[in-house]
Amino acid sequence: MGDRVTPYLDALSQHFPAECSSIINSLSSEQARSTVDTLLAFASGGDCPTDMSALGQLGWARDQPAAIRAIQDLAAQKGTKRGRAASTDEEGVVSNSKRQKTTDVLEDDRPIYTLPSISTTSPVRKKVDITIHEKTIRFSNPSSRAVEASIPLYSISRAFLVPTRGKAKQHWTVVMLSSDVPEKGKATTSNPHQIIFGLDAISASKFDVTSYSDPSTPSTSTVAKGEETLFVLREFLTHLPISLLEASATVFRSACATPKSGHCAAGIDAYFAAKPGTLWFFDSGILWGESKPCEFWAVGDLIPKDGIRLISATGRTCSVILGRKASSSTEDHNGGGDKEDAEGDIIETEFSMVDGREQDPINAWARQRKHLFGKGSAPPPSKATSGKKAMTEEEPSVGGNTATNGPAWDDSDSDDDDYEIASSEDIDNSSSSDSEASDVGSGSQPDDGSEEEDNHGSDVNGGEESGEESEEELQEAHHPLLRPGAMPKMSKATINAVVDMVNEDLMGGSEEEDELDDS
């Protein structure tokens, strides 16, 4: 077996100082060189080794962006310290060198597609030209062409396309997240945690989009005034390394939606603290979108029990509480304590002032995906596995009416198990009682008069025993009125006092009747 190829270590060795060559030379064994090369690939955005297990490849894709950002943050901290220590003359040299490095990076990153003059909320709040490159997304000033912000593509983990609610004109909003849970620390233009921009669904004026399929001769296509812009956004988003999630009213439909709502029906109005926003229900999870900070709850991240809870005091409004397992990132994000309440390793987030009519569609959405809760969320599929076509929510992949999954609806109820248990036990009890009755009836019977007397006697003498048996059979599973909330709770002492009062009244009344008869 030949030596394993170590491209990252070989590239580093060519530029490593000769004075420090002993470090490279110490990696004499094949295993040591292979291990170092794997670490370099992981830290620099390289591909996962093909000989790694499937589970390892999933973990590589999930954790690599966070590792790269950690190294970049560490380098930025070192650069800040050096900048503070540098003198005025040295600052000029440092800035020139940084400018040179930036120029080299720009030249090495080929543009692919440009949307002109787009209203952006994050990472900058202004109208900018947005260009997707091979390695980055750049936000440029339309007039000066200066780059306002540049975001590495590898840092984007999820992308969403949703209709904007609450606008007089139809509008689209694009949301991209670096992680499902907002990261701790202040967002910057180089690490904004999320990208948010929007475009009118119907073009208010003519504009040109630019494609760089041939770098030497870029081509432009014109979107005329009054023309739909959805196809332009989709074309732009197909160049992302991850698949796109689109809101769809076929996956979730708000109870407050109208026939003209379109795909806006896939979301519901809610408040997070005092901030209004929208909860979007996708086939694969729930997005708190449009209002910063955005957050995503994958179906597999919701806890199996009470992953989605609804609380309503009056029925007119309700609160939606989403619970997920705490990880290191969510624990850091929960440090302020103003957003989630941690109970053990569970973090819950509450959204309030939701219309009470939304309880039924939310419960139906959760019931169809209940079997996926707590299974963990795999990283979003890359274009290498899913192809260039973005995965939209128009074709739900969970709970479809197939021979394997069964019908999409679910008529089961949380109390069904109780009724099933009761049914099986009732059968046993009824069979035993029938056998006892048959034993009594099969005995030798005297004449009619004695039979009647015996029957009356058994009622009187066995009444106490039958009462004890019926009291033992009064179990919650058998009798719905005994379930919590069905009847007001009374202590045993209260019940006994009432029974004694009734017995006393009945016994007192019979004694008076006997006295009257004697007189």
Side-chain angles (χ1 to χ4, degrees):
M1 182 176 179
D3 295 343
R4 180 177 173 177
V5 179
T6 55
Y8 291 91
L9 182 59
D10 295 341
L12 181 63
S13 302
Q14 295 177 4
H15 302 281
F16 207 69
E19 294 80 4
C20 305
S21 59
S22 59
I23 298 177
I24 300 295
N25 296 334
S26 64
L27 304 174
S28 56
S29 66
E30 178 183 350
Q31 182 178 1
R33 293 180 62 85
S34 175
T35 301
V36 174
D37 188 78
T38 302
L39 291 174
L40 289 173
F42 182 73
S44 58
D47 295 333
C48 180
T50 56
D51 58 353
M52 191 169 290
S53 65
L55 189 60
Q57 292 180 5
L58 287 175
W60 182 289
R62 181 187 65 242
D63 299 333
Q64 188 180 46
I68 295 174
R69 285 194 298 272
I71 294 176
Q72 288 179 340
D73 293 342
L74 183 62
Q77 293 175 5
K78 297 292 185 182
T80 302
K81 293 179 180 178
R82 287 196 301 268
R84 290 175 179 174
S87 63
T88 305
D89 295 337
E90 291 173 343
E91 285 179 357
V93 176
V94 172
S95 61
N96 289 334
S97 62
K98 287 183 178 179
R99 204 174 290 118
Q100 180 63 38
K101 290 180 181 179
T102 303
T103 303
D104 295 340
V105 172
L106 294 177
E107 292 176 353
D108 190 42
D109 194 11
R110 183 179 66 86
I112 298 177
Y113 200 86
T114 298
L115 294 175
S117 198
I118 301 298
S119 297
T120 307
T121 304
S122 179
V124 292
R125 196 174 185 87
K126 59 174 67 175
K127 278 197 172 185
V128 290
D129 292 347
I130 305 178
T131 303
I132 186 168
H133 291 244
E134 288 182 335
K135 301 177 182 178
T136 60
I137 293 181
R138 298 182 192 167
F139 302 81
S140 306
N141 188 299
S143 302
S144 64
R145 313 304 304 166
V147 178
E148 302 281 351
S150 179
I151 312 301
L153 288 180
Y154 65 75
S155 67
I156 301 173
S157 62
R158 297 192 186 272
F160 307 89
L161 177 60
V162 297
T164 310
R165 293 164 62 92
K167 282 185 172 289
K169 296 182 179 179
Q170 294 182 352
H171 191 273
W172 294 105
T173 296
V174 175
V175 178
M176 304 182 195
L177 303 180
S178 60
S179 61
D180 290 352
V181 181
E183 299 177 15
K184 186 179 180 181
K186 185 178 181 180
T188 62
T189 55
S190 60
N191 186 19
H193 309 330
Q194 54 197 5
I195 297 173
I196 305 175
F197 61 87
L199 184 64
D200 288 335
I202 304 298
S203 176
S205 60
K206 183 182 73 172
F207 65 90
D208 296 330
V209 296
T210 306
S211 175
Y212 301 88
S213 54
D214 185 359
S216 59
T217 57
S219 61
T220 60
S221 57
T222 302
V223 178
K225 180 180 179 180
E227 189 175 351
E228 292 188 357
T229 60
L230 179 58
F231 76 96
V232 173
L233 289 173
R234 283 177 173 166
E235 174 64 23
F236 175 87
L237 296 170
T238 56
H239 298 291
L240 291 175
I242 58 175
S243 296
L244 174 68
L245 296 178
E246 289 191 39
S248 172
T250 60
V251 174
F252 177 90
R253 184 169 185 82
S254 168
C256 304
T258 64
K260 296 182 179 180
S261 296
H263 292 305
C264 285
I268 62 174
D269 294 328
Y271 277 79
F272 171 57
K275 183 181 294 184
T278 304
L279 277 175
W280 294 100
F281 289 79
F282 295 88
D283 195 24
S284 56
I286 302 173
L287 171 71
W288 171 250
E290 303 166 36
S291 297
K292 295 195 300 182
C294 300
E295 188 168 352
F296 183 71
W297 288 261
V299 170
D301 288 341
L302 295 171
I303 58 176
K305 183 179 180 181
D306 295 334
I308 300 180
R309 291 194 296 124
L310 300 177
I311 298 178
S312 177
T314 63
R316 296 186 62 183
T317 62
C318 66
S319 294
V320 181
I321 301 176
L322 305 179
R324 72 161 101 222
K325 289 185 178 180
S327 61
S328 58
S329 59
T330 55
E331 288 172 354
D332 291 341
H333 177 61
N334 189 42
D338 59 342
K339 181 174 181 181
E340 295 99 348
D341 296 325
E343 298 179 357
D345 59 346
I346 304 300
I347 291 187
E348 293 187 334
T349 307
E350 179 177 356
F351 299 93
S352 59
M353 298 300 294
V354 177
D355 194 298
R357 292 174 292 175
E358 305 290 9
Q359 295 182 75
D360 287 342
I362 293 175
N363 282 327
W365 183 93
R367 190 164 55 244
Q368 293 171 8
R369 294 157 181 82
K370 183 73 174 179
H371 63 288
L372 298 175
F373 287 10
K375 298 296 180 64
S377 60
S382 62
K383 293 298 177 61
T385 58
S386 60
K388 282 290 183 181
K389 182 180 178 180
M391 180 188 68
T392 66
E393 295 292 339
E394 304 254 348
E395 302 172 358
S397 60
V398 178
N401 189 4
T402 64
T404 304
N405 297 333
W409 65 86
D410 185 2
D411 291 334
S412 62
D413 190 78
S414 59
D415 293 334
D416 286 351
D417 294 339
D418 296 336
Y419 286 111
E420 291 173 2
I421 296 173
S423 300
S424 60
E425 293 183 357
D426 286 344
I427 292 172
D428 296 337
N429 294 335
S430 62
S431 61
S432 62
S433 61
D434 291 343
S435 62
E436 293 175 358
S438 62
D439 292 339
V440 173
S442 61
S444 59
Q445 302 292 341
D447 57 11
D448 295 340
S450 61
E451 179 182 357
E452 184 178 357
E453 182 179 351
D454 289 342
N455 288 339
H456 286 296
S458 64
D459 290 339
V460 175
N461 298 331
E464 186 174 354
E465 293 179 2
S466 64
E468 292 176 358
E469 291 177 359
S470 62
E471 184 176 355
E472 292 178 356
E473 293 177 359
L474 293 179
Q475 299 179 7
E476 180 180 323
H478 299 184
H479 302 275
L481 292 178
L482 294 180
R483 292 176 184 161
M487 295 287 289
K489 293 184 177 180
M490 292 188 293
S491 65
K492 188 174 182 180
T494 305
I495 295 176
N496 292 335
V498 174
V499 172
D500 292 340
M501 293 170 61
V502 173
N503 288 336
E504 184 178 354
D505 291 341
L506 293 176
M507 295 299 294
S510 61
E511 290 177 357
E512 292 177 358
E513 291 176 359
D514 293 338
E515 293 176 356
L516 292 174
D517 293 339
D518 294 339
S519 61

